[in-house]
């Protein structure tokens, strides 16, 4: 196991009826910007719950943050924050609103070009404190310091991470997820599943606790995801998915171990170029990537096959292929295609993705940096 430092400052407030506690978390009299998306919170009653809980503060609102939050939209909120002297930003919605809020919080204090936050060239010295009311489990954004921002005008989608944008608190009421369309439930479960895979399916690193924790998050998602889809009113499965998705990307399972993140790196380009939902990019890239990389990942793939999918007999190759097929079956059971052709995308995507990736320099993805341009091309051609 490698040396590590772990600190996660986000206070998690989990369970039914907890939105009512909002006012205890934000200093009375503060100027608060409530940020949200395209309107789901107005239809499912979450907006009303938030406003009635937020007494004694000076409120501003910013709606219309889109899925895959866009730089140009967010810059309008940055203006409001600067002009009004906003002191706290509350995200109400899914990962996109929250990622957008993280960016707004950092950009509002930055001198110079805010896009440099995404290119890694900005020095972020401070950020406005943020909190969240999460309505879509999946990204893990509620308890991490990452944010992924799209810039449609240039077909880019980039991530940044900074400890200053950890939410001060996140309220997770599983009942807010009852109104999710099936597509978003499936997306969230698949996204969380792939988050675990990115931190687990690399090579052995003498970290049995991290392995067991990762496997238990995977098994929970495999067991609870289909339950929610079959019984949308089942509070227990909603709650378990929400907690599992948080645990998948709050940093705890990745301490001291190697990480991959190539599926995400390639997936972000597919969203930037073709507008696919984040999780849908992952479901087409991951199986193909695992097949391409089965030799370097062999030991962990066999472990994954044995412990997660219960394949205990056969050769290593047979176990690995069986586990990849089970993973594909799992995505399909969530209503998510595993081939690019299902999205009407063909082999031309391979070159376009590589071209986009190489705008940022040499391509060296994966836990060993060996996923170069030609490997990315192969992964995508096989994913058609
Ligand atoms: O905009 P509204 O009207 O709120 O509707 C949203 C949106 O259309 C809707 N929705 C959310 N909660 C709902 C609901 N509809 C009904 N009832 C509810 N309770 O769902 C749609 C999708 O929402 P979005 O926030 O885009 O989804 P998600 O949470 O999956 O976030 C995706 C974004 O997060 C990034 C992705 O790249 C993508 O941009 N990620 C962020 C990460 C992080 N910060 O750590 C890591 C991830 O790997 C991921 O990259
Ligand atoms: Zn993801």
């Amino acid at each position: 196991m490698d040396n590590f430092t772990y600190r996660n400052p986000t206070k998690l407030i989990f369970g039914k009826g907890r939105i009512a506690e909002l006012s205890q978390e934000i200093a009375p009299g503060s100027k608060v910007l409530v940020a949200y998306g395209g309107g789901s919170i107005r239809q499912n009653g979450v907006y009303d719950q938030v406003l009635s809980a937020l007494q004694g503060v000076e409120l501003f609102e910013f709606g219309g943050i889109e899925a895959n939050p866009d730089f140009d939209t967010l810059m309008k909120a940055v203006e409001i924050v600067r002009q009004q002297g906003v002191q706290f930003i509350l995200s109400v919605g899914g990962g996109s609103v929250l990622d957008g809020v993280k960016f707004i919080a950092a950009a509002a204090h930055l001198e110079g070009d805010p896009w440099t936050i995404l290119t890694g060239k900005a020095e972020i010295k401070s950020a406005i404190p943020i909190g969240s009311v999460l309505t879509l489990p999946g990204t893990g954004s509620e308890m991490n310091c990452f944010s992924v921002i799209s810039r449609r005008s240039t077909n880019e989608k980039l991530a940044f991470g900074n400890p200053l944008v950890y939410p001060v608190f996140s309220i997770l009421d599983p009942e807010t997820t009852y109104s999710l369309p099936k597509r978003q439930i499936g997306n969230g479960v698949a996204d969380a599943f792939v988050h675990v895979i990115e931190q687990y399916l690399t090579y052995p690193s003498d970290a049995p606790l991290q392995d067991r924790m990762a496997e238990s998050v995977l098994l929970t998602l495999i067991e609870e995801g289909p339950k929610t889809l079959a019984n949308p009113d089942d509070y227990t499965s909603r709650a378990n998915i929400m907690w599992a998705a948080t645990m998948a990307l709050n940093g705890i399972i990745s301490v001291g171990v190697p990480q991959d993140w190539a599926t995400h790196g390639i997936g972000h380009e597919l969203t930037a170029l073709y507008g696919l939902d984040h999780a849908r990019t992952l479901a087409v890239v991951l199986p193909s990537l695992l097949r391409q990389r089965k030799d370097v990942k062999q030991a962990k793939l066999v472990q994954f096959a044995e412990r997660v999918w219960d394949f205990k007999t056969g050769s290593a190759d047979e176990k690995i292929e069986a586990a990849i097929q089970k993973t594909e079956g799992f995505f399909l059971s969530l209503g998510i295609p595993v081939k690019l052709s299902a999205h009407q995308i063909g082999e031309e995507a391979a070159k376009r993705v590589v071209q986009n990736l190489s705008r940022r320099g040499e391509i060296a993805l994966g836990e060993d940096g060996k996923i170069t341009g030609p490997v990315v091309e192969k992964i995508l051609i096989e994913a058609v």
Side-chain angles (χ1 to χ4, degrees), residues 290-291 294 301-302 304-306 308-330:
L290 294 179
R291 287 193 177 101
K294 68 178 182 183
L301 271 166
V302 169
F304 173 61
E306 290 175 350
V308 176
W309 295 116
D310 211 19
F311 289 117
K312 301 251 163 62
T313 54
S315 66
D317 256 10
E318 282 163 354
K319 286 180 188 167
I320 289 170
E321 181 52 31
I324 297 173
Q325 284 182 21
K326 271 282 192 186
T327 303
E328 290 176 321
F330 177 57

Side-chain angles (χ1 to χ4, degrees), residues 317-374:
D317 256 10
E318 282 163 354
K319 286 180 188 167
I320 289 170
E321 181 52 31
I324 297 173
Q325 284 182 21
K326 271 282 192 186
T327 303
E328 290 176 321
F330 177 57
F331 292 145
L332 290 168
S333 78
L334 297 171
I336 303 182
V338 294
K339 290 288 177 195
L340 279 171
S341 50
H343 300 290
Q344 286 75 48
I345 297 173
E347 287 192 8
E348 75 287 349
K351 284 226 165 358
R352 291 190 71 194
V353 163
V354 169
Q355 223 167 32
N356 236 22
L357 275 171
S358 55
R359 285 201 279 184
R360 297 195 295 284
E362 197 188 337
I363 303 172
L365 304 173
E367 62 271 29
D368 54 5
K370 294 212 170 122
I371 303 188
T372 54

